[in-house]
Amino acid sequence: MKKIGFLSFGHWSPSPQSGTRSGADALLQSIDLAVAAEELGADGAYFRVHHFARQLGSPFPLLAAAGAKTKRIELGTAVIDMRYENPLYMAEDAGAADLIAGGRLQLGISRGSPEQVIDGWRYFGYVPEEGKTDADMARRHAEIFLDLLRGQGFAQPNPRPMFPNPPGLLRLEPFSEGLRERIWWGAATNATAEWAAKLGMNLQSSTLKFDESGEPLHIQQAEQIRAYRAAWKEAGHTREPRVSVSRSIFALVNDMDRAYFGGSEGEDHFGYIEPEKRAVFGRTYAAEPDVLVEQLRQDQAIAEADTLLLTVPNQLGVAYNAHVIEAILKHVAPALGWR
């Protein structure tokens, strides 16, 4: 059995060919797709966060609104770039959104990927400490955020407050119990996956990772997941961690599917998303359901993970993306024992 959700980047474009032509369209359609996915029986609605781009950029208003419109489905991110985040403000926003959703948030955070502008986090007021990198800064922000989510008081109260205080040091409010265990780290390397395990975060592995062996993505991801689980066990955590992988998977069940995705590439490829850092990019799975089932049986990383996030082409509209999700739930997942 696997949890199956969707992952949307929330692209929008004013082009007449786009079904998502504005920021408002991207946000409102994201909420509608979360509602539709819940009705179909999917387990998760996840959203990517990019800054300075015509994509989803501010996750907490979206997560709160989707939380108010749904009842069961998990609501998450994959991922929030921690280079841009004030951990204290984020803890307040996350706590509020999680309470609105009734404790259903699953927040993926990470160092992030190359952005639309050079050192975009500088415009947000963040600069790495002397001798540190932007990746170090992201991990430091993440550590502060995780510590805040423990709910321990740390701030000295005013002896003459405007309103009465509870006794002792004060914490940030609103506080959502249990959110600390629903934080995930998006890891592009084995080393960062092991670091996330030591800190007690769940693991997200995307449709790409930095190349560490020259092998196909699914093999490298499976090795990453095993290294993560070994580090988790060594850290002595008492709960079972969760692991997700993202995939582009399309069951070709009608002529529209074949027109959109019938010619998709069926191989991984290697390239560079950062200078001198070679990455492996995962293939798109697009085939008739019976062929797709056999292809997916061979994906070692999907086999290792408990959660599968289906990347969706959000500019094709809510109705079509709901169809993409339903096709996997109906025609593929049962044959693989995921349902």
Side-chain angles (χ1 to χ4, degrees), residues 4 37 40-43 324-334 339:
I4 301 174
L40 292 169
D43 302 296
V324 167
I325 296 165
E326 183 179 30
I328 300 300
L329 295 176
K330 182 177 179 180
H331 300 293
V332 176
R339 280 291 187 271

Side-chain angles (χ1 to χ4, degrees), residues 56-107:
L56 298 172
S58 52
F60 292 109
L62 172 59
L63 294 171
K69 287 276 193 176
T70 57
K71 292 183 171 38
R72 178 195 56 81
I73 197 168
E74 294 179 345
L75 302 164
T77 53
V79 291
I80 297 172
D81 188 333
M82 293 303 291
R83 294 175 297 180
Y84 288 78
E85 293 296 326
N86 177 322
L88 284 87
Y89 206 108
M90 183 177 173
E92 290 184 340
D93 281 352
D98 196 41
L99 290 172
I100 290 170
R104 288 183 283 132
L105 258 58
Q106 302 285 341
L107 293 181

Side-chain angles (χ1 to χ4, degrees), residues 144-157:
I144 296 169
F145 178 61
L146 292 172
D147 192 50
L148 293 167
L149 292 184
R150 298 183 191 280
Q152 302 300 312
F154 63 92
Q156 188 69 40

Side-chain angles (χ1 to χ4, degrees), residues 239-293:
R239 67 177 177 88
E240 283 297 312
R242 288 183 60 184
V243 175
S244 74
V245 294
S246 303
R247 289 290 183 272
S248 299
I249 305 174
F250 301 97
L252 307 182
V253 299
N254 61 31
D255 289 343
M256 185 175 289
D257 298 329
R258 286 182 277 274
Y260 280 138
F261 300 106
S264 298
E265 295 182 12
E267 300 291 335
D268 293 348
H269 64 279
F270 293 82
Y272 291 84
I273 58 172
E274 292 185 359
E276 301 179 2
K277 285 190 176 181
R278 189 171 186 249
V280 54
F281 299 81
R283 58 177 292 184
T284 294
Y285 288 97
E288 306 293 327
D290 56 339
V291 175
L292 202 53
V293 167

Side-chain angles (χ1 to χ4, degrees), residues 62-339:
L62 172 59
L63 294 171
K69 287 276 193 176
T70 57
K71 292 183 171 38
R72 178 195 56 81
I73 197 168
E74 294 179 345
L75 302 164
T77 53
V79 291
I80 297 172
D81 188 333
M82 293 303 291
R83 294 175 297 180
Y84 288 78
E85 293 296 326
N86 177 322
L88 284 87
Y89 206 108
M90 183 177 173
E92 290 184 340
D93 281 352
D98 196 41
L99 290 172
I100 290 170
R104 288 183 283 132
L105 258 58
Q106 302 285 341
L107 293 181
I109 64 176
S110 188
R111 192 271 291 186
S113 61
E115 297 294 310
Q116 300 297 106
V117 299
I118 297 169
D119 295 348
W121 29 269
R122 292 183 183 273
Y123 295 97
F124 279 56
Y126 302 114
V127 179
E129 296 176 6
E130 177 121 10
K132 302 290 186 179
T133 68
D134 62 318
D136 295 326
M137 180 174 67
R139 286 190 284 270
R140 179 60 183 150
H141 287 180
E143 289 168 350
I144 296 169
F145 178 61
L146 292 172
D147 192 50
L148 293 167
L149 292 184
R150 298 183 191 280
Q152 302 300 312
F154 63 92
Q156 188 69 40
N158 188 336
R160 293 179 295 278
M162 182 177 294
F163 307 106
N165 281 325
L169 299 177
L170 301 183
R171 68 186 182 186
L172 292 172
E173 302 289 355
F175 175 71
S176 186
E177 191 74 41
L179 180 57
R180 171 63 178 78
E181 295 187 353
R182 288 179 274 116
I183 306 301
W184 307 57
W185 184 260
T189 66
N190 290 8
T192 52
E194 292 169 358
W195 172 82
K198 292 173 185 175
L199 290 181
M201 287 187 280
N202 301 310
L203 176 67
Q204 289 180 338
S205 199
S206 183
T207 49
L208 66 88
K209 72 180 291 293
F210 290 126
D211 177 30
E212 298 184 81
S213 68
E215 295 178 292
L217 174 69
H218 75 104
I219 294 176
Q220 293 200 46
Q221 276 187 326
E223 293 172 351
Q224 180 192 50
I225 293 168
R226 288 190 286 268
Y228 165 81
R229 288 207 170 105
W232 183 278
K233 183 178 180 181
E234 184 178 348
H237 301 303
T238 56
R239 67 177 177 88
E240 283 297 312
R242 288 183 60 184
V243 175
S244 74
V245 294
S246 303
R247 289 290 183 272
S248 299
I249 305 174
F250 301 97
L252 307 182
V253 299
N254 61 31
D255 289 343
M256 185 175 289
D257 298 329
R258 286 182 277 274
Y260 280 138
F261 300 106
S264 298
E265 295 182 12
E267 300 291 335
D268 293 348
H269 64 279
F270 293 82
Y272 291 84
I273 58 172
E274 292 185 359
E276 301 179 2
K277 285 190 176 181
R278 189 171 186 249
V280 54
F281 299 81
R283 58 177 292 184
T284 294
Y285 288 97
E288 306 293 327
D290 56 339
V291 175
L292 202 53
V293 167
E294 293 309 311
Q295 291 175 343
L296 293 172
R297 285 191 202 279
Q298 309 306 314
D299 192 306
Q300 294 182 24
I302 292 178
E304 290 280 352
D306 57 77
T307 301
L308 173 64
L309 301 183
L310 306 169
T311 63
V312 294
N314 73 280
Q315 290 187 88
L316 295 182
V318 174
Y320 183 73
N321 280 286
H323 159 74
V324 167
I325 296 165
E326 183 179 30
I328 300 300
L329 295 176
K330 182 177 179 180
H331 300 293
V332 176
L336 288 163
W338 300 347
R339 280 291 187 271

